[in-house]
Amino acid sequence: MKIAVTYEGGSIFQHFGKTKTFKMYEVENGKITSMQIVHAGGAGHSALAGFLSEQSANVLICGGIGEGAQEALKEAGIKVISGAAGEVDAAVNAYLAGELESAGTNCDHHHEEGHSCCGQHEETATEEASAEEEHSCGGHCSGCSGCGGAHVPDFEGPNVGKTCRTHYRGTFDDGTQFDSSYDRGEPLEFVCGAGQMIHGYDKAVATMEVGQTINIHLMPEEAYGMPDPRAIFTLEIAQLPGSEDLEVGARAYLTNQYGQPFPVTVTEKTETNITFDANHEMAGKELNFQIELVEVK
């Protein structure tokens, strides 16, 4: 089985008809065996349905999608799981676990704080963030990707607008490694300047030459931004079936009023209340990257 997810900066892109990039997952016996990022060649739902059919996709996970697109995908034999949000890998894992349901035809893709359930949770908060999952706009954006026009970078360079393949190693200031494409044996591919990477990484690659390796230090403003206090909220345990089993430090998935899942971390818990933090795990952190530009095409 092959699963396609609308993709932008590690998150589910929220307007199917304007999707430029998909993350594709090969699945065997309910387990992910491989994944890659592919760039769509057409625009509009008909062209995208044909593109996904050519990619042999069996399932599409996306955010907002209209009736016409649903029909085009149905004719192509592709099952649609709409109304999804958040990190792409988490959504695919939730789907494989039978915990992700389709919202049907929908056009609302503005994230609201209308948290309704806590049925999908992980018992650990130690998942490593990869550069492939980095938030576009360097953490300065909020909400979903929306339906606006193309991302316009605030920097220039010969690689802007081109597909770049980079190897990288990410570390904290104490030398601890949090991610490495070298360990996975596959370079990270993205379109430079398209908002698919955190700002500092994207800007650095814009002026690199193939074969060059550089080291950069990013302040939070150039990476995942500073934590937003508005993303920390407390709810009554009685209102969230399943939350009584969560412990402080656990990763969970709540759903907003549109049924879209989003990741949170449990930061505090009493007998009656539970507090969640929806900030990215890397928010507020200074990051170091060793970047090697492997290819530009």
Side-chain angles (χ1 to χ4, degrees):
M1 176 173 65
K2 181 176 284 189
I3 301 174
V5 188
T6 54
Y7 180 90
E8 183 179 64
S11 298
I12 298 173
F13 183 64
Q14 291 297 304
H15 189 174
F16 173 75
K18 295 188 177 183
T19 303
K20 296 181 179 180
T21 309
F22 292 90
K23 191 166 184 179
M24 310 293 294
Y25 298 78
E26 292 278 0
V27 177
E28 294 182 8
N29 299 320
K31 301 292 184 180
I32 297 173
T33 58
S34 66
M35 61 186 77
Q36 66 174 328
I37 296 173
V38 298
H39 303 287
H45 58 74
S46 296
L48 290 175
F51 172 78
L52 292 176
S53 180
E54 292 174 358
Q55 295 292 318
S56 301
N58 306 107
V59 177
L60 167 70
I61 297 176
C62 62
I65 188 170
E67 184 175 355
Q70 292 262 27
E71 287 300 317
L73 290 161
K74 182 179 179 181
E75 291 179 5
I78 300 172
K79 179 180 180 180
V80 177
I81 305 296
S82 64
E87 298 173 340
V88 290
D89 291 350
V92 173
N93 286 326
Y95 173 75
L96 293 176
E99 299 172 340
L100 188 63
E101 297 183 358
S102 179
T105 301
N106 62 84
C107 294
D108 285 311
H109 26 268
H110 299 287
H111 297 201
E112 302 285 349
E113 287 191 5
H115 318 296
S116 60
C117 74
C118 186
Q120 305 163 26
H121 64 269
E122 301 170 340
E123 295 300 330
T124 176
T126 60
E127 291 185 351
E128 295 179 344
S130 70
E132 195 171 2
E133 296 171 339
E134 290 164 351
H135 191 287
S136 62
C137 305
H140 299 302
C141 298
S142 61
C144 68
S145 302
C147 300
H151 177 85
V152 180
D154 60 358
F155 53 84
E156 297 179 351
N159 298 329
V160 172
K162 298 179 181 178
T163 299
C164 297
R165 287 166 57 84
T166 62
H167 264 309
Y168 66 90
R169 180 171 287 106
T171 59
F172 298 118
D173 283 347
D174 64 1
T176 302
Q177 177 179 297
F178 60 83
D179 191 30
S180 172
S181 65
Y182 291 102
D183 293 349
R184 291 192 295 275
E186 180 67 25
L188 171 64
E189 183 174 299
F190 62 97
V191 177
C192 184
Q196 298 173 356
M197 303 296 295
I198 57 174
H199 185 269
Y201 192 106
D202 211 12
K203 183 178 180 180
V205 173
T207 56
M208 291 180 66
E209 297 180 357
V210 173
Q212 182 181 8
T213 298
I214 63 172
N215 293 285
I216 60 173
H217 175 80
L218 302 182
M219 299 300 289
E221 293 77 10
E222 289 284 287
Y224 290 93
M226 297 300 294
D228 185 349
R230 296 172 299 177
I232 301 174
F233 51 93
T234 300
L235 302 173
E236 293 183 11
I237 293 176
Q239 296 178 338
L240 297 172
S243 64
E244 62 274 8
D245 298 327
L246 292 175
E247 301 293 338
V248 173
R251 290 284 286 172
Y253 287 90
L254 303 185
T255 58
N256 61 22
Q257 64 190 44
Y258 299 115
Q260 300 168 325
F262 61 97
V264 296
T265 300
V266 179
T267 58
E268 187 178 349
K269 187 179 182 182
T270 67
E271 292 185 1
T272 57
N273 296 328
I274 185 167
T275 300
F276 297 102
D277 186 350
N279 284 294
H280 195 283
E281 291 176 297
M282 291 291 203
K285 296 183 182 296
E286 296 182 28
L287 305 178
N288 302 293
F289 286 97
Q290 174 188 303
I291 306 173
E292 175 190 358
L293 183 56
V294 177
E295 181 183 8
V296 176
K297 55 184 178 180

